[in-house]
Amino acid sequence: MIKNLKQNFSNSKYSVFLMVLIPVILYANITIIVPSNEIESISAALVKARPGDTILVENGKYREKIFVKSGIVLKARNLHKAVIDGMGKGTVVTLGSNAKIIGFVIQNGTIGVFSKNAGVNILQCQIVRNWLTGIIAVRHLPQIEDNIIAFNRASGFQGWDVRSTTAAINHNTIAFNANHGIAVGGTSNITVENNVVAYNERFALKLSSGSGKSKVTKNNFYSNLKQLKKLPSGNYDFNPAFLSPRTAMDFKSDPKECCQIKSSDNENLGARLE
């Protein structure tokens, strides 16, 4: 009997060890390539992906609307060479908690990107030519950095009741949108810095009365519709001298005409994509 008890205890320890080990193996962070094997679409890769995984997308146009699950990194292998096309309607990209999207062109939807969860990152994307808004955020502000948000038929960015202690709208170029560059509603408290907001058909920045605590500094607000209220101090108004925004989506500044003023981190204002 004693021998059997010892054997059972030993087997029990071994079983516990396996129970601990197996989840680690199953949920090990992996990289899924699109396209590869039987995975032809981003959506198919997202079905297989688990939190911590990276989906790496090759060059091409992907006509689909996607939900990036919590904890997934969705990245274009080559900057702006992978296009997610919404086929003319709906939200092109919706982001779960702690999801990241990096380096895509996101276009031709009703809304380019929608986010309502914490820990989201939208980085180095071109969010362009959507039928309404480029990015909409509710409650939690994503980290929105180094994006070109342009030629959308409503505002570049629209936020409602957005707050964050760490995320910011930082180093983006927000231009040629048919409504506001940045519109923030409800009771919001966010940071907007180091952006170029230019040639939007309405205000460069529209803050609700409940968003007065937002920090807005070191931005270049140029040639938008004249503001009803004076913009916060510590911002600029000078020609960004874009090289070829309409024909080549080139928002770099012509060095012969611009720019001596630097950002809070001593870099050029707007998206840093070189």
Side-chain angles (χ1 to χ4, degrees):
M1 181 182 294
I2 294 173
K3 182 178 179 181
N4 289 338
L5 286 173
K6 287 181 178 179
Q7 185 175 2
N8 289 338
F9 179 70
S10 177
N11 290 339
S12 174
K13 288 196 297 180
Y14 184 68
S15 298
V16 170
F17 174 75
L18 285 178
M19 290 173 66
V20 172
L21 179 63
I22 288 172
V24 172
I25 295 172
L26 290 177
Y27 290 92
N29 297 352
I30 63 172
T31 297
I32 301 171
I33 308 297
V34 179
S36 63
N37 299 325
E38 298 178 358
I39 300 174
E40 294 297 327
S41 68
I42 298 171
S43 298
L46 285 164
V47 170
K48 292 181 176 293
R50 298 185 181 276
D53 290 351
T54 296
I55 298 173
L56 191 63
V57 181
E58 304 288 359
N59 299 358
K61 182 176 283 189
Y62 299 83
R63 293 179 174 87
E64 51 188 314
K65 289 177 276 289
I66 63 172
F67 172 69
V68 184
K69 297 188 295 186
S70 297
I72 303 298
V73 177
L74 181 63
K75 184 175 182 180
R77 183 183 291 277
N78 298 301
L79 188 66
H80 302 159
K81 299 298 184 182
V83 179
I84 308 175
D85 187 290
M87 299 173 288
K89 61 182 180 179
T91 301
V92 185
V93 176
T94 303
L95 296 165
S97 301
N98 301 305
K100 293 184 180 181
I101 186 164
I102 307 168
F104 288 86
V105 176
I106 301 167
Q107 66 178 30
N108 195 28
T110 307
I111 298 164
V113 181
F114 178 78
S115 174
K116 65 176 183 179
N117 298 295
V120 170
N121 285 260
I122 305 168
L123 309 173
Q124 296 184 321
C125 291
Q126 286 185 0
I127 303 165
V128 297
R129 298 192 176 100
N130 293 286
W131 292 93
L132 288 178
T133 306
I135 298 175
I136 291 182
V138 179
R139 294 198 300 271
H140 300 282
L141 181 71
Q143 182 66 24
I144 302 173
E145 188 166 341
D146 289 318
N147 301 284
I148 294 169
I149 308 169
F151 302 112
N152 299 290
R153 295 192 179 186
S155 296
F157 170 84
Q158 174 74 58
W160 185 264
D161 283 343
V162 281
R163 295 180 176 82
S164 178
T165 56
T166 55
I169 302 173
N170 182 45
H171 272 296
N172 302 281
T173 298
I174 304 173
F176 298 103
N177 297 290
N179 199 17
H180 309 299
I182 299 170
V184 183
T187 304
S188 300
N189 188 353
I190 64 174
T191 296
V192 180
E193 61 182 347
N194 303 322
N195 303 284
V196 174
V197 185
Y199 302 109
N200 297 288
E201 293 184 17
R202 297 197 70 190
F203 301 154
L205 174 71
K206 184 180 181 182
L207 291 176
S208 66
S209 58
S211 302
K213 292 183 179 179
S214 294
K215 177 186 175 184
V216 181
T217 185
K218 294 282 186 178
N219 302 283
N220 179 17
F221 296 117
Y222 181 77
S223 197
N224 305 278
L225 181 69
K226 188 174 181 180
Q227 299 279 147
L228 293 176
K229 297 180 181 179
K230 188 176 180 181
L231 288 164
S233 60
N235 295 280
Y236 314 112
D237 178 4
F238 61 87
N239 186 358
F242 298 137
L243 284 173
S244 183
R246 292 189 180 275
T247 58
M249 203 64 69
D250 188 349
F251 285 86
K252 293 190 292 293
S253 296
D254 185 342
K256 296 178 181 178
E257 299 184 30
C258 186
C259 304
Q260 298 301 315
I261 296 174
K262 297 294 184 180
S263 64
S264 60
D265 45 16
N266 201 35
E267 298 190 46
N268 291 331
L269 297 173
R272 303 162 296 182
L273 299 174
E274 297 183 46

